Amino acid sequence: MTLLDRIHAALITQTPRALTAKTALWWGLSISIPILFGVMALQDGFRAERIVQDDARQYLFWMQRFQQPELFSNDLIADYFQSVTPVGYTLLYRVGTWFGIAPFTFNKLLPLILGVVTTGYFFWVVMAMVPLPITACLASLLLNQTLWMKDDLVSATPRAFLYPFFTAFLYYWLQSEQETSGASPSIASKGGYLRGHRIQLKRSLILGLASIALLGLFYPQYVLVIGGIVLLSVMKLKPDHVTLECRSRAAWIRIGSSLIVVIAIVAFYALTASTYGPVVTLEQAKIMPEFWPGGRSFFFSENLWWFYAVGDRSGFLHVGLVRPATLALGLFLPMLLWRSPSHPVVQQCQPSLSVLLRLLLSASGLFVLAHLLLFQMHLPSRYTDHSLRIIMAIASAIIITTILEYLVRPRPQSRSNGRRLINIGIAILFSTAILAYPVVVDGFPLTKYKQGRNPKLYEFLKTQPADTLVASVAEDVNNIPVFAQRPILVGREYAIPYHLGFYSVFHDRAVDLLRAQYSPDPEVAIAVIQAYGIDYWLLDQKAYDSDYLEDNWTRQYISDLEAAMDDGPNNTPPALAESISPCLVMQQNPLLLLDAHCISEQLTEKQP
C-alpha cells in the first residue's frame, strides 16, 4: 500500500468508539489545541500587574468579600451582582479562595481547564456521530478556534461553563442512546454483555443527569436547549413528516429522568423571585435609550436584518457562522448528505448525527420564544450563538474531511502522477490554511483583558476606609472596585438595565451625579454629596468639553439630564468646576481625584 493509499484509508476507515492507540493519538492532538491557546491567553493575562478580563469585572469584584468580608458593605452594585450570579459559579470561586486562590487569579487559570475539558468531551461527541478520528480532531480544532476568537471561554464567567457541561451532556446522551439501541461495540465485544451493558447504561444516565444539573448551576437558561433536544428525541424527524418513535423502557427512563431534571431547574429559577425585580418589559425597554444604538445594552434597531440576523444580543446568527470563516463550509453539509449518500465519508455518518438537527431546532425555537417573551428569557442570541458554534464546527469538519478525501483519493492508473502530486499539494496547502488560520487573525486569542492604568490612584484609595464611596462617570471608575476594592456610585460596566429594582435606582444615581457635575447651582452638588455619602469625586480632565457626554456611555442619560437641569442657563459655568483646584487630592492624567467633603464646604462658603 502506497503512502497515498494509507492517507486515504485513514480518512475514511471507521474506528471503534473506544480509546485505541489510533484514537488516543488524535485525541491527544485535539487536547493540545486548547492547551496551546490557553497558554497564549495566560501569557496575556499575566503580562503585567492589575489586569482583569473585561466581563469578569461584573462577576468577580464582589467576590473579594470572600477574603475580606468588610468590603462593599451595603453596596447596591455589589449586592445586585451577587444576587444574579449563579449559585454553582459562586461556590466554585468560594472553594478557590479556600485553597488560597484569589478570584481574579482563578479567573485567569480557568479558561485553559475549561477548554481542555470541553475538547476532551467534544472529540468523543464527534466520534459518536462520525467515527473518523481525523474528523473529530478537525471539529475540535474548529471549535477551539471559534471559542478563542471570542471572549466567552476566556472570560471564565458563567457562560464559559456552558461548553464543558453541554458537551458532557451530549457525550453521555449519545452514549446512552447507543446503549439503549444496542449499538455499543465496546461493550458488546466483552464477556458478560448484559451486565456490562446495564452498568454502562446506568453510568451514562447518571453522568448525563449530573451534567444537566451542573449546567443549571452555572448557566441555567441553556438547560432549556437540553429540554428541547430531549423532547425532540421522542420524535422521528423525516423530510416530509414527524412521527413518534417506539422506544424501549430504558430509553423512556433516560428521556423522562432528563426532563425531570430540566423541569426542576427551570422551576427553581422561575419560582425564586429576584430581590431586584421585576424584569424590564418590552414596552419599557423600547422607550429606554439604554437599549438603542449608543446605549449600554444596545438591543433594538430600525434595521430588521441586523436586529433579527446579526445583532449582538438579538440576532440569530451573531458571529456563529463567520468566526472563523471556515465554519461557513458547514452550510454545505445538508447538500452533501442529500446528493452524495454513497460518498465514503457520508457512509461513516451515524444516526447520532441527527442530534445536530435537534440542537438546531431546539435553539431556534427558543430564539423565537425569547423574542416573543422579551426579556423574560433574557437575550435571544444566547440560545443560537453557542449552539451554532457546536453545530457548524462538526458540520464543517465533515465537509473538510470530504474535501481531503477527494484530493488524496487514489486515481486510476491512466491518470498521470503529476495530477496526483498536484492534488496532494493542494491537500497540504488546504490543511495548512485551516491549521494556521489563527495566525492571520489580529489579536488571537481574543482575551479582552483590561489593565488598570492608574496604580497610584488605586493604592491611595486602598488606604482609605473600606466604605469609602467614589463618584464618577469616567471610564476608569469601572476598575476601582477591582483594583482599589472600594465601592462606586455608578459605572458603565455595571449599568445593566434588565432588573428594574436595581436599575431604576442606578439610573437615578447616574442622573443625579451628572446633574451635580454640570449644574451651575452649588446646592445640587452639595445635596448629592450628602444624600449618597460621597467621599471622593473622580473627574476626567475633559469632563467639561462640549462633546464629553456624547462621546461616553453617559449619552444614554442626556435626555433625562436635560429634563432635570432646570436650575440655570446652559452657558453658566458648573459650580463643581470651581472646586477643582482647592479640593484636588491627586492628579493622574487624565483623572483628577477631588475630596467630596472639601467640595461641599467650598460650595457652601460661596453661597450668598
Side-chain angles (χ1 to χ4, degrees), residues 365-387:
L366 289 167
F367 171 84
V368 174
L369 191 60
H371 266 290
L372 294 174
L373 299 177
L374 286 173
F375 290 87
Q376 299 299 315
M377 295 174 61
H378 199 41
L379 302 174
S381 68
R382 299 299 184 258
Y383 298 98
T384 53
D385 182 20
H386 306 295
S387 303

Side-chain angles (χ1 to χ4, degrees), residues 79 107 119 172 175 187 200 248 272 277 345 348 359 376:
D79 291 343
N107 178 261
T119 305
Y172 293 118
Q175 191 177 59
I187 296 295
Q200 183 72 11
S248 65
T272 304
V345 174
Q348 306 304 327
L359 173 56
Q376 299 299 315

Side-chain angles (χ1 to χ4, degrees), residues 509-574:
R509 284 184 173 191
V511 174
D512 287 345
L513 180 61
L514 290 170
R515 186 179 172 214
Q517 187 163 302
Y518 293 98
S519 173
D521 184 356
E523 280 288 348
V524 175
I526 295 171
V528 169
I529 290 171
Q530 293 176 348
Y532 293 110
I534 298 171
D535 296 295
Y536 289 98
W537 203 295
L538 189 63
L539 198 65
D540 195 310
Q541 288 182 327
K542 297 181 179 179
Y544 293 111
D545 290 356
S546 59
D547 56 353
Y548 181 78
L549 293 181
E550 284 286 353
D551 291 341
N552 284 274
W553 68 285
T554 50
R555 68 174 68 89
Q556 64 190 23
Y557 302 116
I558 289 178
S559 59
D560 292 320
L561 176 62
E562 291 174 345
M565 291 282 280
D566 56 356
D567 36 32
N570 291 333
N571 59 354
T572 305

Side-chain angles (χ1 to χ4, degrees), residues 308-598:
Y308 287 109
V310 297
D312 183 41
R313 297 176 174 89
S314 61
F316 182 86
L317 301 179
H318 187 26
V319 297
L321 299 180
V322 295
R323 297 176 69 180
T326 44
L327 288 185
L329 290 171
L331 294 173
F332 295 99
L333 179 60
M335 182 181 296
L336 175 67
L337 297 175
W338 177 49
R339 297 293 298 273
S340 304
S342 61
H343 191 282
V345 174
V346 174
Q347 288 182 334
Q348 306 304 327
C349 293
Q350 303 295 307
S352 298
L353 190 64
S354 63
V355 76
L356 295 185
L357 177 58
R358 294 185 174 94
L359 173 56
L360 178 61
L361 292 175
S362 176
S364 301
L366 289 167
F367 171 84
V368 174
L369 191 60
H371 266 290
L372 294 174
L373 299 177
L374 286 173
F375 290 87
Q376 299 299 315
M377 295 174 61
H378 199 41
L379 302 174
S381 68
R382 299 299 184 258
Y383 298 98
T384 53
D385 182 20
H386 306 295
S387 303
L388 285 175
R389 292 172 185 276
I390 293 171
I391 293 169
M392 298 307 293
I394 298 173
S396 299
I398 296 172
I399 294 298
I400 292 171
T401 305
T402 305
I403 294 172
L404 292 175
E405 186 278 331
Y406 172 79
L407 291 173
V408 301
R409 182 186 302 168
R411 309 294 178 185
Q413 292 299 322
S414 58
R415 292 289 186 94
S416 67
N417 290 330
R419 174 70 184 198
R420 299 180 70 185
L421 290 174
I422 291 173
N423 284 349
I424 293 173
I426 294 173
I428 293 172
L429 290 175
F430 183 60
S431 303
T432 303
I434 294 170
L435 289 170
Y437 187 97
V439 176
V440 300
V441 176
D442 187 33
F444 181 88
L446 180 65
T447 59
K448 288 190 178 180
Y449 281 124
K450 303 292 183 180
Q451 183 173 0
R453 301 294 183 182
N454 300 285
K456 292 181 180 179
L457 171 66
Y458 311 140
E459 291 305 315
F460 171 78
L461 290 174
K462 286 181 76 171
T463 64
Q464 305 304 303
D467 60 351
T468 297
L469 182 63
V470 180
S472 178
V473 294
E475 180 65 27
D476 201 60
V477 75
N478 297 300
N479 291 326
I480 287 178
V482 177
F483 300 125
Q485 301 177 333
R486 295 299 177 262
I488 59 175
L489 190 67
V490 295
R492 179 194 180 279
E493 189 66 22
Y494 313 100
I496 306 299
Y498 298 110
H499 288 97
L500 296 181
F502 163 74
Y503 190 69
S504 60
V505 178
F506 187 99
H507 173 275
D508 292 344
R509 284 184 173 191
V511 174
D512 287 345
L513 180 61
L514 290 170
R515 186 179 172 214
Q517 187 163 302
Y518 293 98
S519 173
D521 184 356
E523 280 288 348
V524 175
I526 295 171
V528 169
I529 290 171
Q530 293 176 348
Y532 293 110
I534 298 171
D535 296 295
Y536 289 98
W537 203 295
L538 189 63
L539 198 65
D540 195 310
Q541 288 182 327
K542 297 181 179 179
Y544 293 111
D545 290 356
S546 59
D547 56 353
Y548 181 78
L549 293 181
E550 284 286 353
D551 291 341
N552 284 274
W553 68 285
T554 50
R555 68 174 68 89
Q556 64 190 23
Y557 302 116
I558 289 178
S559 59
D560 292 320
L561 176 62
E562 291 174 345
M565 291 282 280
D566 56 356
D567 36 32
N570 291 333
N571 59 354
T572 305
L576 184 70
E578 300 176 9
S579 301
I580 293 177
S581 295
C583 298
L584 183 64
V585 175
M586 174 185 294
Q587 178 174 352
Q588 190 169 20
N589 291 333
L591 301 174
L592 305 171
L593 185 67
L594 310 179
D595 187 322
H597 304 292
C598 172

Side-chain angles (χ1 to χ4, degrees), residues 63 66-67 89-103 105-107 110:
M63 291 187 184
F66 296 160
Q67 296 168 306
Y89 186 79
T90 299
L91 179 60
L92 177 66
Y93 276 85
R94 187 180 286 276
V95 170
T97 60
W98 291 344
F99 287 95
I101 308 175
T105 301
F106 200 23
N107 178 261
L110 279 172

Side-chain angles (χ1 to χ4, degrees), residues 29-274:
L29 288 173
S30 301
I31 293 295
S32 67
I33 298 167
I35 293 176
L36 173 62
F37 295 166
V39 169
M40 293 169 65
L42 277 174
Q43 291 176 336
D44 191 24
F46 287 101
R47 70 181 186 273
E49 294 184 6
R50 301 181 185 87
I51 289 181
V52 63
Q53 207 281 330
D54 185 18
D55 290 342
R57 289 181 291 186
Q58 297 175 7
Y59 290 95
L60 300 184
F61 82 94
W62 65 267
M63 291 187 184
Q64 296 173 104
R65 290 168 164 174
F66 296 160
Q67 296 168 306
Q68 301 179 58
E70 71 277 8
L71 296 179
F72 307 106
S73 177
N74 299 316
D75 178 46
L76 170 71
I77 298 175
D79 291 343
Y80 170 71
F81 281 98
Q82 180 175 358
S83 74
V84 297
T85 301
V87 62
Y89 186 79
T90 299
L91 179 60
L92 177 66
Y93 276 85
R94 187 180 286 276
V95 170
T97 60
W98 291 344
F99 287 95
I101 308 175
F104 290 108
T105 301
F106 200 23
N107 178 261
K108 296 173 186 176
L109 300 175
L110 279 172
L112 190 153
I113 300 171
L114 297 176
V116 169
V117 174
T118 298
T119 305
Y121 275 112
F122 187 68
F123 178 91
W124 293 106
V125 168
V126 181
M127 283 290 291
M129 300 179 188
V130 190
L132 300 174
I134 189 172
T135 305
C137 187
L138 284 169
S140 299
L141 171 65
L142 293 171
L143 181 67
N144 274 281
Q145 286 181 349
T146 188
L147 290 181
W148 293 94
M149 285 183 182
K150 199 169 181 288
D151 67 329
D152 288 335
L153 190 69
V154 79
S155 70
T157 54
R159 67 180 184 271
F161 290 80
L162 176 156
Y163 292 98
F165 294 139
F166 184 69
T167 51
F169 160 75
L170 286 178
Y171 170 72
Y172 293 118
W173 177 263
L174 293 176
Q175 191 177 59
S176 60
E177 190 172 58
Q178 291 161 4
E179 291 294 330
T180 53
S181 64
S184 182
S186 61
I187 296 295
S189 61
K190 299 179 181 179
Y193 170 73
L194 275 179
R195 182 173 176 274
H197 177 78
R198 290 170 182 170
I199 292 173
Q200 183 72 11
L201 187 59
K202 289 179 181 179
R203 174 181 172 273
S204 299
L205 176 61
I206 293 170
L207 292 176
L209 296 178
S211 64
I212 298 174
L214 286 170
L215 181 59
L217 291 174
F218 282 81
Y219 200 73
Q221 70 189 75
Y222 210 75
V223 169
L224 294 171
V225 175
I226 290 180
I229 293 173
V230 174
L231 285 174
L232 289 170
S233 70
V234 179
M235 306 173 187
K236 190 171 185 179
L237 306 176
K238 294 185 177 181
D240 54 344
H241 67 282
V242 176
T243 60
L244 290 179
E245 280 194 305
C246 296
R247 291 182 173 271
S248 65
R249 178 173 175 271
W252 284 113
I253 291 174
R254 175 172 58 93
I255 292 169
S257 57
S258 298
L259 286 176
I260 288 172
V261 175
V262 169
I263 293 170
I265 293 170
V266 173
F268 171 78
Y269 284 99
L271 297 175
T272 304
S274 173

